[in-house]
Amino acid sequence: MKILIVSQYYYPEPFSVASVAENLVKAGNEVTVLTGLPNYGYYRIMPGYENVKFEIINGVNVHRVKVIPRKGTRLSIIKNYLSFWRNAKKYVKKLDKDFDIVYSVSLSPVISIAPAIKYAKKHKVKHVLHCLDLWPESVIVTGMVKPNGLIYKILLKWSRKLYKNTDKILVSSPSFIDYFKDVIGYNVENCKYVPQLSNEYKIPSHDEVVEYDKTYLNIVYCGNIGRIQLIKELIEAVDLARQTIKIRIYVIGLGSLKDYLLSEIKNLGLDENIIYLGAIQSGTAIKYFQNADALYLGLKDSGIVGKTIPNKLTFYMSQKRPIIAAISGDGREVLKNAKGSIISDCDANSLKDAFIKFDSLTKKEKEELALNNYRFYKENFGAKIIMSKIEHELKQLAK
């Protein structure tokens, strides 16, 4: 197949769409990607990419359009979204290549799929959307938009129009299907659950992995530092748990609550208990995972987004570590079935109890949790399994 992939984000940004594209190439397909200049997590266009318009990465033809880089402000994020939406729609006019299928990947925002819709309609080919994030639900959870306000109503109308202009939607969490049926009014016969592919990285050598002070319970968190990830609850839980156990959390990432995290570490005297390591790319960050006692996962229990399976969940499983999770919905069910986690409710006291419970486990019990996670990951979320599902769905609709 000749496949056009449209995604606002692509390598070197830390999203798995690049792994999907490269696996499709390995399977014998010709893959072209339309994306933006990398800026996610950098607060600027990544150095060296300022003027890059085209490159070939591991056999994938990558076309890049200019975008306004997202920074820490709401206005910059809106400008970032609109710049890709505008410039990518212009660019697809130049793409006369005879593609068999269009595959778009929707993180935030959903308007990023508009160029895919434009190309598919113009050239009369089918368009498969892989929905990894729901709009406008996601902007409500983050607090950017008030539910039922005017902006929400405008975004809902826009989102409905975009979603309904796809030929099939693959959803990364089963609960998304209810949202498409009840809120979007989409024909859910054209929806199918296909999990998000996790990035797979080279395991660090023995000399590269980080060693910890084993007198502490050492837990690692890697990802966005925001409200949805229950960072405030994490800080409070650590503050409570340290009264009972020796606990230390290593935090990797950036986000809207980074400054709050740093100030609370100072205000509460948590310098020995919460160690902020800054922003580190996932491929490098995993050197902190190997000897950690557990990995932390939090997801705010709010609306349909709080019921999803975050990509971090399966990524953590792939690292063969136990997980301590404050989560509900589909993600909670996955972790329960995997039998490799201590699961808490989404509040500080419950999370504190989870830390203390995990600390009481024997070394053998912790090792068993880690193996259970990895086994469940390989059986349900491994690259071969997910890629076979994605390629099957694309072949069904390809011309």
Side-chain angles (χ1 to χ4, degrees):
M1 291 182 291
K2 294 181 180 179
I3 305 167
L4 172 63
I5 297 179
V6 178
S7 171
Q8 180 166 343
Y9 313 105
Y10 198 78
Y11 178 87
E13 293 168 311
F15 299 100
S16 59
V17 59
S19 296
V20 172
E22 290 171 14
N23 274 290
L24 287 170
V25 169
K26 290 177 184 177
N29 302 290
E30 183 181 320
V31 180
T32 296
V33 171
L34 175 59
T35 188
L37 295 174
N39 66 99
Y40 188 95
Y42 297 97
Y43 292 157
R44 56 177 175 165
I45 301 301
M46 187 177 179
Y49 270 92
E50 293 86 351
N51 298 306
V52 174
K53 295 181 179 179
F54 175 78
E55 57 184 330
I56 299 175
I57 305 175
N58 295 328
V60 180
N61 300 305
V62 182
H63 297 267
R64 298 188 183 273
V65 299
K66 289 184 178 181
V67 293
I68 297 171
R70 57 186 290 156
K71 300 181 180 178
T73 67
R74 183 178 301 182
L75 181 60
S76 74
I77 293 173
I78 293 171
K79 287 181 177 180
N80 174 259
Y81 290 170
L82 292 175
S83 62
F84 179 78
W85 170 77
R86 181 182 61 249
N87 293 335
K89 282 206 304 178
K90 289 180 180 178
Y91 197 89
V92 291
K93 294 178 181 179
K94 306 176 185 178
L95 284 174
D96 294 327
K97 198 171 183 67
D98 187 23
F99 293 105
D100 300 313
I101 191 78
V102 179
Y103 172 71
S104 66
V105 179
S106 172
L107 291 138
S108 281
V110 69
I111 62 172
S112 67
I113 73 171
I117 293 170
K118 189 178 182 71
Y119 181 91
K121 283 195 168 186
K122 179 182 177 181
H123 295 277
K124 295 180 174 57
V125 294
K126 300 295 185 181
H127 172 202
V128 177
L129 164 64
H130 207 156
C131 180
L132 313 181
D133 193 24
L134 290 174
W135 266 57
E137 185 71 18
S138 291
V139 288
I140 293 175
V141 176
T142 59
M144 290 183 69
V145 171
K146 293 181 179 180
N148 299 318
L150 178 60
I151 296 176
Y152 169 79
K153 290 177 180 177
I154 292 170
L155 290 176
L156 178 59
K157 185 176 181 180
W158 198 357
S159 299
R160 281 174 173 159
K161 183 178 180 181
L162 290 166
Y163 285 132
K164 289 180 179 180
N165 272 286
T166 62
D167 295 291
K168 189 156 195 176
I169 297 180
L170 311 181
V171 296
S172 59
S173 292
S175 57
F176 280 16
I177 294 176
D178 291 334
Y179 185 85
F180 279 112
K181 178 182 177 182
D182 300 334
V183 179
I184 301 300
Y186 188 82
N187 180 7
V188 293
E189 290 183 2
N190 294 326
C191 282
K192 185 170 182 179
Y193 168 53
V194 176
Q196 182 177 359
L197 183 69
S198 289
N199 283 321
E200 295 185 347
Y201 300 100
K202 180 182 177 183
I203 300 298
S205 68
H206 177 74
D207 294 335
E208 293 175 308
V209 297
V210 174
E211 298 290 342
Y212 296 101
D213 180 347
K214 288 301 182 179
T215 63
Y216 285 88
L217 172 63
N218 295 288
I219 302 169
V220 173
Y221 171 71
C222 180
N224 189 49
I225 303 174
R227 287 185 293 273
I228 294 178
Q229 292 75 27
L230 300 176
I231 296 300
K232 288 185 177 181
E233 290 80 0
L234 173 63
I235 296 167
E236 186 179 347
V238 172
D239 189 30
L240 293 170
R242 66 171 172 162
Q243 300 171 30
T244 305
I245 61 175
K246 291 188 71 175
I247 183 171
R248 185 170 278 170
I249 305 283
Y250 293 82
V251 178
I252 301 168
L254 291 172
S256 61
L257 292 186
K258 187 201 81 173
D259 291 341
Y260 174 83
L261 170 72
L262 295 176
S263 67
E264 286 298 281
I265 291 172
K266 184 177 180 180
N267 293 338
L268 298 172
L270 291 169
D271 304 76
E272 290 295 315
N273 306 100
I274 302 180
I275 312 298
Y276 177 60
L277 299 172
I280 304 173
Q281 288 190 340
S282 297
T284 303
I286 61 173
K287 70 181 183 181
Y288 290 93
F289 294 7
Q290 308 305 307
N291 289 327
D293 294 301
L295 306 177
Y296 165 72
L297 172 69
L299 184 64
K300 186 177 180 181
D301 183 10
S302 179
I304 195 71
V305 173
K307 295 179 173 64
T308 62
I309 302 171
N311 187 239
K312 189 184 290 90
L313 184 155
T314 54
F315 175 55
Y316 277 2
M317 281 184 163
S318 73
Q319 297 304 303
K320 203 182 294 185
R321 303 310 306 141
I323 296 170
I324 299 175
I327 194 170
S328 62
D330 294 343
R332 190 182 187 100
E333 285 303 307
V334 168
L335 292 178
K336 283 172 64 177
N337 292 333
K339 299 178 181 179
S341 305
I342 300 296
I343 307 170
S344 87
D345 293 333
C346 301
D347 63 88
N349 273 309
S350 296
L351 185 55
K352 175 261 297 182
D353 292 341
F355 290 147
I356 294 172
K357 180 178 180 180
F358 181 83
D359 188 61
S360 70
L361 299 179
T362 65
K363 181 180 179 181
K364 184 178 180 181
E365 287 172 330
K366 292 174 183 176
E367 289 174 349
E368 187 65 27
L369 292 179
L371 289 173
N372 286 347
N373 275 336
Y374 187 66
R375 188 181 299 118
F376 194 85
Y377 167 80
K378 295 296 285 186
E379 292 174 355
N380 296 274
F381 300 104
K384 287 184 179 179
I385 293 170
I386 292 177
M387 284 308 308
S388 67
K389 292 180 179 180
I390 292 174
E391 192 169 16
H392 173 73
E393 295 301 328
L394 296 180
K395 282 182 177 178
Q396 279 194 322
L397 292 179
K399 66 180 183 180

